[in-house]
Amino acid sequence: MIRSSRMVFAGAIALSLVAAACGSSSAGETAAEVATTVAAAAPATEAAPAVTEAEAEPTVTEAAEPAVTEAAAPAGDAVCPEKIVIQTDWWPEIEHGGSYQLIGPAGKIDKETFRYSGPIDAKYAVAGVKEVEIRAGGDAIQFAPVTTEMYTKDEITFGYVNTSDAAKDSKTAAVVGVAKTLEINPQMIQWDPTQLTIEKPEDIATTGATVL
């Protein structure tokens, strides 16, 4: 996976999104399936006198051929790696639940590296994928940005990245969003009440403090 197409995982993984993100899903292949369906469903036969062989060829056969060629077809049925590695942005929490469900309760915990891994659950099976590994973030990785982890560790397939961070890091660590599970990103601001007097949101601006 080249850096310009690194994938960012902005929420818990859903099976359909994993399949779409790393499975075989080229536009040409889809067009070929549609063309094959049309050709199979509407042959020119005596039972359909309104469609002659001359009329059927331009609308079905000839239209289907340019849609996909042998050279454009993918080399295999899927391009997923056998092991999917997911880098989260914090310690295990409810927002990561969908990712952990890919493995289920049969996974193994590595207390030294703060990782949870195991075979992918049968009900979430994706062609080519055999194992899933989930890595804790936050201070488990010395608070390193997830985008940095993705660029320095090639084995990482997906990462949890806030949209604002993806935009901020786009010049040096571009990522591609493939999923989201939160419509609103829950954020909070905390401060030391012995240093700042804040009673309402408007007071934040009057303090002159830097908001991180």
Side-chain angles (χ1 to χ4, degrees):
M1 188 178 298
I2 60 175
R3 290 187 175 182
S4 62
S5 62
R6 285 283 186 176
M7 295 185 178
V8 51
F9 200 77
I13 292 181
L15 170 63
S16 60
L17 291 169
V18 174
C22 68
S24 176
S25 60
S26 67
E29 186 176 11
T30 302
E33 293 175 355
V34 173
T36 301
T37 302
V38 173
T45 64
E46 293 180 359
V51 179
T52 65
E53 183 176 355
E55 293 172 337
E57 288 180 358
T59 57
V60 178
T61 306
E62 292 183 11
E65 289 178 355
V68 62
T69 64
E70 184 175 351
D77 293 335
V79 293
C80 297
E82 289 190 1
K83 181 179 181 179
I84 287 180
V85 178
I86 303 168
Q87 176 64 61
T88 69
D89 55 352
W90 200 246
W91 295 104
E93 54 188 348
I94 192 170
E95 288 92 336
H96 306 152
S99 296
Y100 286 95
Q101 284 181 327
L102 287 175
I103 302 172
K108 295 181 179 180
I109 299 173
D110 188 326
K111 296 181 180 179
E112 298 297 323
T113 60
F114 310 112
R115 298 174 184 178
Y116 183 69
S117 60
I120 189 169
D121 191 289
K123 61 178 172 289
Y124 301 122
V126 175
V129 179
K130 297 180 180 179
E131 183 181 0
V132 177
E133 177 181 282
I134 303 169
R135 302 180 179 183
D139 51 338
I141 54 174
Q142 292 76 53
F143 297 103
V146 174
T147 51
T148 300
E149 287 291 291
M150 295 175 73
Y151 267 74
T152 56
K153 296 179 175 61
D154 289 338
E155 69 272 18
I156 297 176
T157 318
F158 300 101
Y160 281 74
V161 180
N162 290 330
T163 303
S164 56
D165 291 335
K168 176 174 64 69
D169 299 333
S170 60
K171 288 186 177 181
T172 57
V175 293
V176 176
V178 297
K180 70 172 183 176
T181 58
L182 298 176
E183 291 294 338
I184 299 176
N185 186 6
Q187 294 292 318
M188 51 82 70
I189 294 178
Q190 62 183 17
W191 62 90
D192 182 350
T194 65
Q195 298 184 42
L196 300 173
T197 300
I198 298 175
E199 299 294 337
K200 54 187 181 299
E202 291 78 7
D203 295 338
I204 298 174
T206 63
T207 65
T210 300
V211 178
L212 302 177

